[in-house]
mmCIF file of all heavy atoms in Angstrom:
data_model
loop_
_atom_site.group_PDB
_atom_site.id
_atom_site.type_symbol
_atom_site.label_atom_id
_atom_site.label_comp_id
_atom_site.label_asym_id
_atom_site.label_seq_id
_atom_site.Cartn_x
_atom_site.Cartn_y
_atom_site.Cartn_z
ATOM 1 N N PRO A 202 -16.145 -6.353 -26.649
ATOM 2 C CA PRO A 202 -16.062 -5.559 -25.421
ATOM 3 C C PRO A 202 -15.452 -6.365 -24.330
ATOM 4 O O PRO A 202 -15.817 -7.560 -24.166
ATOM 5 C CB PRO A 202 -17.544 -5.248 -25.144
ATOM 6 C CG PRO A 202 -18.279 -6.400 -25.746
ATOM 7 C CD PRO A 202 -17.516 -6.831 -26.964
ATOM 8 N N GLN A 203 -14.510 -5.807 -23.621
ATOM 9 C CA GLN A 203 -13.766 -6.587 -22.584
ATOM 10 C C GLN A 203 -14.137 -6.119 -21.191
ATOM 11 O O GLN A 203 -13.713 -5.029 -20.782
ATOM 12 C CB GLN A 203 -12.258 -6.440 -22.813
ATOM 13 C CG GLN A 203 -11.825 -6.981 -24.175
ATOM 14 C CD GLN A 203 -10.307 -6.966 -24.368
ATOM 15 O OE1 GLN A 203 -9.603 -6.375 -23.540
ATOM 16 N NE2 GLN A 203 -9.815 -7.640 -25.403
ATOM 17 N N PHE A 204 -14.773 -6.999 -20.458
ATOM 18 C CA PHE A 204 -15.163 -6.716 -19.087
ATOM 19 C C PHE A 204 -14.153 -7.322 -18.142
ATOM 20 O O PHE A 204 -13.697 -8.422 -18.295
ATOM 21 C CB PHE A 204 -16.541 -7.302 -18.764
ATOM 22 C CG PHE A 204 -17.662 -6.386 -19.200
ATOM 23 C CD1 PHE A 204 -18.215 -6.510 -20.489
ATOM 24 C CD2 PHE A 204 -18.222 -5.434 -18.372
ATOM 25 C CE1 PHE A 204 -19.269 -5.674 -20.906
ATOM 26 C CE2 PHE A 204 -19.245 -4.629 -18.751
ATOM 27 C CZ PHE A 204 -19.798 -4.740 -20.052
ATOM 28 N N TYR A 205 -13.826 -6.530 -17.104
ATOM 29 C CA TYR A 205 -13.007 -6.995 -15.983
ATOM 30 C C TYR A 205 -13.819 -6.790 -14.710
ATOM 31 O O TYR A 205 -14.421 -5.701 -14.528
ATOM 32 C CB TYR A 205 -11.722 -6.185 -15.932
ATOM 33 C CG TYR A 205 -10.939 -6.288 -17.225
ATOM 34 C CD1 TYR A 205 -11.107 -5.372 -18.259
ATOM 35 C CD2 TYR A 205 -10.045 -7.319 -17.393
ATOM 36 C CE1 TYR A 205 -10.412 -5.484 -19.426
ATOM 37 C CE2 TYR A 205 -9.350 -7.490 -18.606
ATOM 38 C CZ TYR A 205 -9.572 -6.540 -19.573
ATOM 39 O OH TYR A 205 -8.882 -6.660 -20.812
ATOM 40 N N THR A 206 -13.825 -7.780 -13.894
ATOM 41 C CA THR A 206 -14.580 -7.683 -12.702
ATOM 42 C C THR A 206 -14.103 -8.574 -11.594
ATOM 43 O O THR A 206 -13.128 -9.312 -11.807
ATOM 44 C CB THR A 206 -16.091 -7.966 -13.006
ATOM 45 O OG1 THR A 206 -16.872 -7.570 -11.877
ATOM 46 C CG2 THR A 206 -16.368 -9.467 -13.245
ATOM 47 N N GLY A 207 -14.740 -8.572 -10.465
ATOM 48 C CA GLY A 207 -14.434 -9.436 -9.323
ATOM 49 C C GLY A 207 -15.397 -9.053 -8.245
ATOM 50 O O GLY A 207 -16.210 -8.068 -8.406
ATOM 51 N N CYS A 208 -15.411 -9.790 -7.165
ATOM 52 C CA CYS A 208 -16.372 -9.471 -6.055
ATOM 53 C C CYS A 208 -15.703 -9.452 -4.729
ATOM 54 O O CYS A 208 -14.995 -10.391 -4.366
ATOM 55 C CB CYS A 208 -17.519 -10.504 -6.031
ATOM 56 S SG CYS A 208 -18.646 -10.358 -7.446
ATOM 57 N N ALA A 209 -15.950 -8.370 -3.985
ATOM 58 C CA ALA A 209 -15.492 -8.314 -2.597
ATOM 59 C C ALA A 209 -16.656 -8.823 -1.722
ATOM 60 O O ALA A 209 -17.836 -8.467 -1.932
ATOM 61 C CB ALA A 209 -15.157 -6.882 -2.215
ATOM 62 N N GLN A 210 -16.304 -9.642 -0.767
ATOM 63 C CA GLN A 210 -17.292 -10.154 0.183
ATOM 64 C C GLN A 210 -17.297 -9.279 1.443
ATOM 65 O O GLN A 210 -16.264 -9.238 2.151
ATOM 66 C CB GLN A 210 -17.015 -11.568 0.531
ATOM 67 C CG GLN A 210 -17.053 -12.532 -0.701
ATOM 68 C CD GLN A 210 -16.682 -13.962 -0.409
ATOM 69 O OE1 GLN A 210 -16.856 -14.844 -1.239
ATOM 70 N NE2 GLN A 210 -16.251 -14.258 0.828
ATOM 71 N N ILE A 211 -18.369 -8.550 1.677
ATOM 72 C CA ILE A 211 -18.335 -7.620 2.794
ATOM 73 C C ILE A 211 -19.586 -7.831 3.688
ATOM 74 O O ILE A 211 -20.572 -8.358 3.283
ATOM 75 C CB ILE A 211 -18.306 -6.141 2.311
ATOM 76 C CG1 ILE A 211 -19.501 -5.788 1.426
ATOM 77 C CG2 ILE A 211 -17.018 -5.877 1.590
ATOM 78 C CD1 ILE A 211 -19.616 -4.310 1.061
ATOM 79 N N PHE A 212 -19.423 -7.335 4.950
ATOM 80 C CA PHE A 212 -20.532 -7.262 5.881
ATOM 81 C C PHE A 212 -20.690 -5.796 6.263
ATOM 82 O O PHE A 212 -19.758 -5.218 6.837
ATOM 83 C CB PHE A 212 -20.328 -8.110 7.127
ATOM 84 C CG PHE A 212 -21.505 -7.994 8.058
ATOM 85 C CD1 PHE A 212 -22.626 -8.767 7.880
ATOM 86 C CD2 PHE A 212 -21.454 -7.081 9.136
ATOM 87 C CE1 PHE A 212 -23.717 -8.655 8.740
ATOM 88 C CE2 PHE A 212 -22.566 -6.960 10.003
ATOM 89 C CZ PHE A 212 -23.681 -7.760 9.764
ATOM 90 N N LEU A 213 -21.809 -5.235 5.860
ATOM 91 C CA LEU A 213 -22.037 -3.780 6.158
ATOM 92 C C LEU A 213 -22.680 -3.603 7.527
ATOM 93 O O LEU A 213 -23.800 -4.118 7.757
ATOM 94 C CB LEU A 213 -22.936 -3.186 5.066
ATOM 95 C CG LEU A 213 -23.393 -1.743 5.301
ATOM 96 C CD1 LEU A 213 -22.251 -0.773 5.429
ATOM 97 C CD2 LEU A 213 -24.396 -1.320 4.225
ATOM 98 N N GLU A 214 -21.973 -2.966 8.397
ATOM 99 C CA GLU A 214 -22.572 -2.693 9.710
ATOM 100 C C GLU A 214 -23.294 -1.376 9.645
ATOM 101 O O GLU A 214 -22.714 -0.317 9.618
ATOM 102 C CB GLU A 214 -21.394 -2.592 10.748
ATOM 103 C CG GLU A 214 -20.759 -3.949 10.972
ATOM 104 C CD GLU A 214 -19.691 -3.945 12.056
ATOM 105 O OE1 GLU A 214 -19.509 -2.901 12.668
ATOM 106 O OE2 GLU A 214 -19.068 -4.983 12.265
ATOM 107 N N SER A 215 -24.558 -1.507 9.610
ATOM 108 C CA SER A 215 -25.418 -0.325 9.450
ATOM 109 C C SER A 215 -26.803 -0.597 9.989
ATOM 110 O O SER A 215 -27.313 -1.714 9.894
ATOM 111 C CB SER A 215 -25.531 0.014 7.934
ATOM 112 O OG SER A 215 -26.566 0.943 7.723
ATOM 113 N N SER A 216 -27.374 0.430 10.635
ATOM 114 C CA SER A 216 -28.736 0.277 11.079
ATOM 115 C C SER A 216 -29.670 0.933 10.049
ATOM 116 O O SER A 216 -30.895 1.107 10.304
ATOM 117 C CB SER A 216 -28.892 0.942 12.457
ATOM 118 O OG SER A 216 -28.473 2.296 12.348
ATOM 119 N N GLY A 217 -29.153 1.289 8.937
ATOM 120 C CA GLY A 217 -29.951 1.936 7.891
ATOM 121 C C GLY A 217 -30.957 0.984 7.293
ATOM 122 O O GLY A 217 -31.010 -0.232 7.540
ATOM 123 N N SER A 218 -31.845 1.543 6.499
ATOM 124 C CA SER A 218 -32.908 0.739 5.872
ATOM 125 C C SER A 218 -33.067 0.949 4.416
ATOM 126 O O SER A 218 -34.038 0.515 3.766
ATOM 127 C CB SER A 218 -34.248 1.140 6.561
ATOM 128 O OG SER A 218 -34.563 2.475 6.267
ATOM 129 N N LEU A 219 -32.048 1.631 3.818
ATOM 130 C CA LEU A 219 -32.192 1.896 2.378
ATOM 131 C C LEU A 219 -31.897 0.659 1.541
ATOM 132 O O LEU A 219 -30.931 -0.067 1.753
ATOM 133 C CB LEU A 219 -31.229 3.047 1.990
ATOM 134 C CG LEU A 219 -31.551 4.395 2.596
ATOM 135 C CD1 LEU A 219 -30.475 5.402 2.213
ATOM 136 C CD2 LEU A 219 -32.960 4.863 2.085
ATOM 137 N N VAL A 220 -32.794 0.505 0.571
ATOM 138 C CA VAL A 220 -32.611 -0.638 -0.373
ATOM 139 C C VAL A 220 -32.830 -0.069 -1.756
ATOM 140 O O VAL A 220 -33.459 0.950 -1.927
ATOM 141 C CB VAL A 220 -33.624 -1.734 -0.080
ATOM 142 C CG1 VAL A 220 -33.431 -2.409 1.248
ATOM 143 C CG2 VAL A 220 -35.073 -1.223 -0.194
ATOM 144 N N PRO A 221 -32.332 -0.757 -2.783
ATOM 145 C CA PRO A 221 -32.544 -0.240 -4.141
ATOM 146 C C PRO A 221 -33.968 -0.428 -4.602
ATOM 147 O O PRO A 221 -34.637 -1.402 -4.230
ATOM 148 C CB PRO A 221 -31.577 -1.119 -4.951
ATOM 149 C CG PRO A 221 -31.477 -2.391 -4.199
ATOM 150 C CD PRO A 221 -31.547 -2.000 -2.722
ATOM 151 N N GLU A 222 -34.453 0.521 -5.405
ATOM 152 C CA GLU A 222 -35.786 0.386 -5.904
ATOM 153 C C GLU A 222 -35.840 -0.702 -6.969
ATOM 154 O O GLU A 222 -36.867 -1.341 -7.119
ATOM 155 C CB GLU A 222 -36.212 1.759 -6.567
ATOM 156 C CG GLU A 222 -36.581 2.804 -5.526
ATOM 157 C CD GLU A 222 -37.144 4.059 -6.133
ATOM 158 O OE1 GLU A 222 -36.989 4.227 -7.383
ATOM 159 O OE2 GLU A 222 -37.622 4.884 -5.397
ATOM 160 N N GLU A 223 -34.791 -0.851 -7.696
ATOM 161 C CA GLU A 223 -34.750 -1.855 -8.728
ATOM 162 C C GLU A 223 -33.414 -2.554 -8.796
ATOM 163 O O GLU A 223 -32.400 -1.922 -8.487
ATOM 164 C CB GLU A 223 -35.049 -1.272 -10.138
ATOM 165 C CG GLU A 223 -36.477 -0.851 -10.358
ATOM 166 C CD GLU A 223 -36.695 -0.217 -11.678
ATOM 167 O OE1 GLU A 223 -35.762 -0.065 -12.470
ATOM 168 O OE2 GLU A 223 -37.854 0.210 -11.898
ATOM 169 N N THR A 224 -33.416 -3.782 -9.234
ATOM 170 C CA THR A 224 -32.153 -4.490 -9.369
ATOM 171 C C THR A 224 -32.125 -5.160 -10.736
ATOM 172 O O THR A 224 -33.131 -5.243 -11.383
ATOM 173 C CB THR A 224 -31.966 -5.572 -8.259
ATOM 174 O OG1 THR A 224 -33.048 -6.504 -8.375
ATOM 175 C CG2 THR A 224 -31.961 -4.952 -6.880
ATOM 176 N N VAL A 225 -30.928 -5.569 -11.095
ATOM 177 C CA VAL A 225 -30.766 -6.226 -12.375
ATOM 178 C C VAL A 225 -30.066 -7.628 -12.186
ATOM 179 O O VAL A 225 -29.552 -7.885 -11.113
ATOM 180 C CB VAL A 225 -29.882 -5.414 -13.344
ATOM 181 C CG1 VAL A 225 -30.585 -4.132 -13.688
ATOM 182 C CG2 VAL A 225 -28.505 -5.174 -12.805
ATOM 183 N N SER A 226 -30.086 -8.391 -13.244
ATOM 184 C CA SER A 226 -29.455 -9.694 -13.228
ATOM 185 C C SER A 226 -28.062 -9.581 -13.921
ATOM 186 O O SER A 226 -27.914 -8.961 -14.931
ATOM 187 C CB SER A 226 -30.290 -10.698 -13.964
ATOM 188 O OG SER A 226 -29.600 -11.948 -14.017
ATOM 189 N N ILE A 227 -27.099 -10.234 -13.259
ATOM 190 C CA ILE A 227 -25.808 -10.365 -13.864
ATOM 191 C C ILE A 227 -25.448 -11.912 -13.939
ATOM 192 O O ILE A 227 -25.472 -12.497 -12.854
ATOM 193 C CB ILE A 227 -24.683 -9.660 -13.086
ATOM 194 C CG1 ILE A 227 -25.007 -8.182 -12.968
ATOM 195 C CG2 ILE A 227 -23.326 -9.852 -13.739
ATOM 196 C CD1 ILE A 227 -23.974 -7.371 -12.218
ATOM 197 N N PRO A 228 -25.278 -12.502 -15.100
ATOM 198 C CA PRO A 228 -25.274 -11.848 -16.382
ATOM 199 C C PRO A 228 -26.703 -11.465 -16.846
ATOM 200 O O PRO A 228 -27.649 -11.905 -16.209
ATOM 201 C CB PRO A 228 -24.708 -12.922 -17.308
ATOM 202 C CG PRO A 228 -25.091 -14.216 -16.596
ATOM 203 C CD PRO A 228 -24.979 -13.924 -15.120
ATOM 204 N N GLY A 229 -26.772 -10.730 -17.911
ATOM 205 C CA GLY A 229 -28.073 -10.336 -18.430
ATOM 206 C C GLY A 229 -28.262 -8.796 -18.530
ATOM 207 O O GLY A 229 -28.998 -8.361 -19.341
ATOM 208 N N TYR A 230 -27.491 -8.079 -17.684
ATOM 209 C CA TYR A 230 -27.656 -6.631 -17.622
ATOM 210 C C TYR A 230 -27.004 -5.937 -18.754
ATOM 211 O O TYR A 230 -27.295 -4.761 -19.038
ATOM 212 C CB TYR A 230 -27.127 -6.133 -16.288
ATOM 213 C CG TYR A 230 -25.622 -6.069 -16.210
ATOM 214 C CD1 TYR A 230 -24.922 -4.895 -15.918
ATOM 215 C CD2 TYR A 230 -24.944 -7.233 -16.490
ATOM 216 C CE1 TYR A 230 -23.561 -4.905 -15.842
ATOM 217 C CE2 TYR A 230 -23.506 -7.229 -16.422
ATOM 218 C CZ TYR A 230 -22.878 -6.041 -16.176
ATOM 219 O OH TYR A 230 -21.509 -6.041 -16.145
ATOM 220 N N VAL A 231 -26.063 -6.561 -19.414
ATOM 221 C CA VAL A 231 -25.508 -5.993 -20.662
ATOM 222 C C VAL A 231 -25.435 -7.080 -21.746
ATOM 223 O O VAL A 231 -25.395 -8.279 -21.410
ATOM 224 C CB VAL A 231 -24.078 -5.470 -20.452
ATOM 225 C CG1 VAL A 231 -24.024 -4.265 -19.537
ATOM 226 C CG2 VAL A 231 -23.154 -6.567 -19.948
ATOM 227 N N GLU A 232 -25.490 -6.664 -22.969
ATOM 228 C CA GLU A 232 -25.477 -7.620 -24.061
ATOM 229 C C GLU A 232 -24.517 -7.131 -25.169
ATOM 230 O O GLU A 232 -24.165 -5.941 -25.164
ATOM 231 C CB GLU A 232 -26.913 -7.794 -24.613
ATOM 232 C CG GLU A 232 -27.834 -8.441 -23.639
ATOM 233 C CD GLU A 232 -29.275 -8.405 -24.110
ATOM 234 O OE1 GLU A 232 -29.514 -8.149 -25.325
ATOM 235 O OE2 GLU A 232 -30.201 -8.643 -23.300
#
Side-chain angles (χ1 to χ4, degrees):
Q203 299 187 347
F204 277 89
Y205 301 91
T206 193
C208 289
Q210 300 179 171
I211 59 173
F212 180 82
L213 173 60
E214 293 185 0
S215 167
S216 56
S218 64
L219 293 175
V220 296
E222 285 184 347
E223 286 177 4
T224 60
V225 296
S226 175
I227 301 180
Y230 73 125
V231 292
E232 292 170 17

